[in-house]
Amino acid sequence: MTIPIKNHKTVISLTIFFLVCLLTSCNKAAEVVSSSLELNQNDKAPLAGIYNIVADKPVKVRLSINNGNQPIIVPGLDVYAEEHESLVLGLGPNETHEVIAVLIDEQGNETILPPKQITTPALPDDFPKLNLTMEASEKLEPGITMFTVFKWLDKFEDDPDWGYAIAVDDKGQVIWYLKTDYFIDEVRRLKNGNLFFGGSVDGRVYEIDMLGNVINEWHSAGAVVGEVAEASIPVDTDVFHHEVRELDSGNFLSLGLEVISLEDFPAAYPPSKKRAAADVASDVIIEFDKKGNTIHKWSVSDILDIKRLGAGSLTRGFYEDVYKDKYDSVPFDITHSNALYYSEAEDAAYVSSNYQCVIYKVDMETGKLKWIIGDPTGWEKPWSEKLLKPEGEFTYPYHQHGLEITPQGTLLLFDNGGSRHLPPNKPMPAEERFSRAVEYKVNEAAGTVEELWSYGPQYERFVSPFISDADYLPETGHILITDGGRIKGEDGEPLATFGGRNWARIFEVTKEDKSRKLWEITIEDPEVGLSVYRAERFKSLYPHLDIP
């Protein structure tokens, strides 16, 4: 049946009526169809939750999390959808947290959901003991500090089946952790928001989400020791070690190994002239894609003189578990590279060699050596021609770790120091040894290097004979120092070498003419040795607020 409309006034009235109905409907705030808040069921990363929300219209979600202290406001993803699965992160252990979700529709209308509670478990009995020894009295670099801890079975052997990645806030409070049954090196953020790191005695690379779920795993196919997950992706190298980085292309750049047989190798440190045949474990720089395909591989034996003996080049122990069943004699660990930084702008790699006690730069297009920073002892041509000449007051690094290029183009690293010598020179007496964070400036055109800044014995004497790190913090210009390999003797006094109880600390300093320490946390247990590989300052635990 048709209803006749008798005049234009009726038409206008009906039009207004329908417009009012439409606008009223559009401006109506979203309603919740269903919602639930659950603690993460993965007990490897239990300080996390999942808030599931279904709304009757597309919305964004904002969370407020409160444990009785100052609430944390977490802006959600800038995505409108009817269904959301939101991460709930930053939860302290053994606490009940109140979580309030706010739904925001495309017109800006807000719907506030009733508070929900989530209770976290206490920390595990074997959790590393942390102590905030210096609370910030002024502005720190914003964010949270993520670091990895491993423990020692005795004074000389670490535990390959135990590891933690831990995040703390500026109060030193634990707000996230991942417990593993393998050693973990540095944790970094992928561009997709997940975390990734190397680990395990035979070198694996893991990608995990913030709930601790393994998303991808890669293993070095050349020297597998433990069981490999069925879905793990093989990569053609012996042992990923020390460093893995994501490139802008989405590929990975890592350090690997290869064994080279040499007929004429120095069988003893200088001044001995003894030579013999030997197998040596030499590093490779490898680029591989997410499917495990090798894109490029550069052999360090084609870049450095692997017959030059540095301090430690005739040791075999570091890769013993990997090679002991493959060779009659475990290969010498000739270079022991321990840090890798890639410059996209230069298409160049900066590499730290621990036992050679050098940092060197490689042109990744040609594989050619650009320069070397380090003690000139033992270098012959053509490598000696690549040594940068120091300018001004300058101290060479020894057994350094954790190098990076700052936004100013300078080179920042942790100079462990060791005995500060190369054979046949005399070692520095133990009571004089020191470690430090140091910044260098390279002038490639002039072939020179200058020391710009350091934090070490001029402020406090400390010695970490291994691992450790130094990171530039971009918002404040401060430096985050991982003094990760400290050792104490039975009398509690510091040791400059292995043979005591291991402990570590992480601290933030200003970078100025007279640097000041602003914040410090220690990782120490009187009953067991603990060490920290490296630490990073993340902007946030939440992936969408921290994607590099």
Side-chain angles (χ1 to χ4, degrees):
M1 182 177 71
T2 302
I3 300 176
I5 299 175
K6 294 184 178 181
N7 56 55
H8 67 280
K9 291 182 179 180
T10 303
V11 174
I12 293 172
S13 297
L14 286 172
T15 300
I16 293 172
F17 173 78
F18 285 121
L19 283 173
V20 169
C21 290
L22 180 62
L23 289 172
T24 302
S25 175
C26 289
N27 284 327
K28 183 180 179 182
E31 294 185 0
V32 178
V33 177
S34 64
S35 67
S36 64
L37 174 61
E38 297 179 352
L39 190 69
N40 184 23
Q41 296 305 299
N42 185 348
D43 61 3
K44 292 182 178 180
L47 301 187
I50 307 169
Y51 204 143
N52 287 292
I53 297 172
V54 179
D56 65 346
K57 61 194 294 190
V59 294
K60 296 190 296 186
V61 176
R62 183 178 71 239
L63 298 179
S64 173
I65 304 168
N66 193 350
N67 65 351
N69 300 316
Q70 184 175 356
I72 302 170
I73 307 300
V74 184
L77 291 169
D78 193 20
V79 174
Y80 292 96
E82 292 181 5
E83 297 185 14
H84 286 267
E85 185 179 82
S86 299
L87 288 171
V88 180
L89 303 172
L91 308 178
N94 199 26
E95 291 180 340
T96 296
H97 301 75
E98 183 180 82
V99 182
I100 298 175
V102 180
L103 312 185
I104 308 162
D105 66 20
E106 293 173 292
Q107 287 71 45
N109 300 311
E110 294 189 354
T111 302
I112 302 175
L113 275 63
K116 292 182 182 291
Q117 291 189 333
I118 185 169
T119 301
T120 53
L123 296 174
D125 291 340
D126 69 344
F127 195 84
K129 289 181 169 55
L130 313 179
N131 184 30
L132 183 68
T133 51
M134 177 177 285
E135 189 170 350
S137 59
E138 58 185 271
K139 178 179 172 62
L140 297 176
E141 181 78 10
I144 59 98
T145 303
M146 177 80 74
F147 56 96
T148 58
V149 185
F150 63 97
K151 75 174 182 179
W152 294 81
L153 298 172
D154 56 38
K155 294 178 180 180
F156 299 98
E157 183 181 4
D158 59 76
D159 188 343
D161 303 319
W162 187 98
Y164 274 96
I166 300 170
V168 299
D169 61 18
D170 61 356
K171 303 296 183 184
Q173 298 299 310
V174 177
I175 54 174
W176 184 90
Y177 72 84
L178 173 74
K179 180 177 173 60
T180 67
D181 55 5
Y182 50 82
F183 167 86
I184 311 174
D185 61 24
E186 185 173 16
V187 177
R188 290 195 174 99
R189 183 82 73 181
L190 290 169
K191 294 181 180 66
N192 64 11
N194 289 332
L195 303 178
F196 78 118
F197 49 82
S200 185
V201 66
D202 57 355
R204 314 286 174 93
V205 176
Y206 300 89
E207 176 187 354
I208 68 163
D209 62 20
M210 293 305 298
L211 301 176
N213 302 308
V214 176
I215 307 302
N216 284 300
E217 179 181 334
W218 297 265
H219 65 275
S220 45
V224 177
V225 175
E227 292 184 6
V228 176
E230 184 177 350
S232 184
I233 302 167
V235 182
D236 183 22
T237 190
D238 288 2
V239 193
F240 295 121
H241 63 93
H242 289 92
E243 192 88 67
V244 58
R245 290 182 176 271
E246 184 184 28
L247 304 178
D248 283 353
S249 64
N251 294 339
F252 296 114
L253 193 68
S254 183
L255 293 168
L257 279 182
E258 62 182 356
V259 175
I260 300 173
S261 296
L262 299 173
E263 294 299 323
D264 182 34
F265 184 76
Y269 290 109
S272 172
K273 302 291 185 182
K274 185 179 178 181
R275 315 286 288 193
D279 292 325
V280 300
S282 180
D283 296 297
V284 297
I285 304 167
I286 181 170
E287 179 185 350
F288 63 97
D289 65 19
K290 292 186 176 180
K291 296 181 179 179
N293 300 309
T294 299
I295 307 303
H296 293 103
K297 185 183 287 188
W298 299 264
S299 294
V300 171
S301 61
D302 295 329
I303 300 169
L304 295 182
D305 178 10
I306 62 168
K307 293 184 180 180
R308 174 196 185 247
L309 295 185
S313 293
L314 292 182
T315 60
R316 306 174 188 265
F318 194 84
Y319 299 112
E320 182 178 3
D321 289 338
V322 173
Y323 288 127
K324 63 185 178 183
D325 296 328
K326 298 187 69 174
Y327 296 90
D328 293 335
S329 180
V330 174
F332 290 118
D333 188 6
I334 184 68
T335 51
H336 196 93
S337 296
N338 59 16
L340 171 68
Y341 186 91
Y342 177 70
S343 168
E344 297 273 358
E346 299 175 292
D347 191 20
Y350 295 79
V351 187
S352 165
S353 172
N354 185 329
Y355 291 170
Q356 295 292 320
C357 296
V358 297
I359 302 105
Y360 59 97
K361 181 179 179 181
V362 182
D363 184 317
M364 300 298 271
E365 182 177 359
T366 64
K368 299 298 184 183
L369 178 66
K370 299 286 288 183
W371 48 252
I372 300 171
I373 298 174
D375 187 328
T377 302
W379 287 109
E380 299 178 353
K381 290 183 179 181
W383 300 280
S384 59
E385 296 171 338
K386 298 292 185 178
L387 290 164
L388 296 178
K389 181 180 178 181
E391 285 195 333
E393 187 175 338
F394 189 91
T395 300
Y396 285 115
Y398 291 87
H399 301 289
Q400 66 288 329
H401 285 76
L403 68 86
E404 66 176 48
I405 304 300
T406 71
Q408 294 75 36
T410 58
L411 180 66
L412 181 68
L413 55 94
F414 189 94
D415 174 15
N416 298 76
S419 55
R420 294 198 177 271
H421 88 295
L422 291 175
N425 303 326
K426 291 182 179 181
M428 176 181 282
E431 65 273 11
E432 297 178 14
R433 296 175 190 177
F434 62 91
S435 298
R436 60 185 185 147
V438 62
E439 180 185 27
Y440 296 118
K441 180 181 179 181
V442 171
N443 185 329
E444 284 195 9
T448 59
V449 59
E450 177 185 1
E451 185 174 313
L452 296 183
W453 173 89
S454 69
Y455 187 95
Q458 72 272 45
Y459 300 107
E460 53 177 315
R461 181 179 174 271
F462 55 93
V463 180
S464 269
F466 70 116
I467 55 178
S468 305
D469 192 19
D471 290 337
Y472 179 84
L473 302 175
E475 184 168 319
T476 58
H478 297 166
I479 306 296
L480 184 68
I481 300 175
T482 307
D483 186 19
R486 299 294 296 275
I487 304 173
K488 284 183 179 179
E490 292 183 1
D491 58 0
E493 292 299 310
L495 297 180
T497 187
F498 291 94
R501 178 172 52 81
N502 297 75
W503 67 285
R505 63 174 181 154
I506 303 162
F507 58 102
E508 182 174 335
V509 302
T510 61
K511 182 177 165 291
E512 51 196 2
D513 290 340
K514 190 172 182 179
S515 294
R516 292 170 292 113
K517 185 163 61 174
L518 303 178
W519 178 87
E520 181 182 77
I521 186 171
T522 61
I523 302 90
E524 183 174 8
D525 189 325
E527 303 300 325
V528 65
L530 299 171
S531 297
V532 172
Y533 184 70
R534 293 182 188 171
E536 289 282 328
R537 183 66 51 84
F538 284 20
K539 293 179 181 177
S540 173
L541 275 178
Y542 286 87
H544 67 287
L545 303 177
D546 185 52
I547 294 175

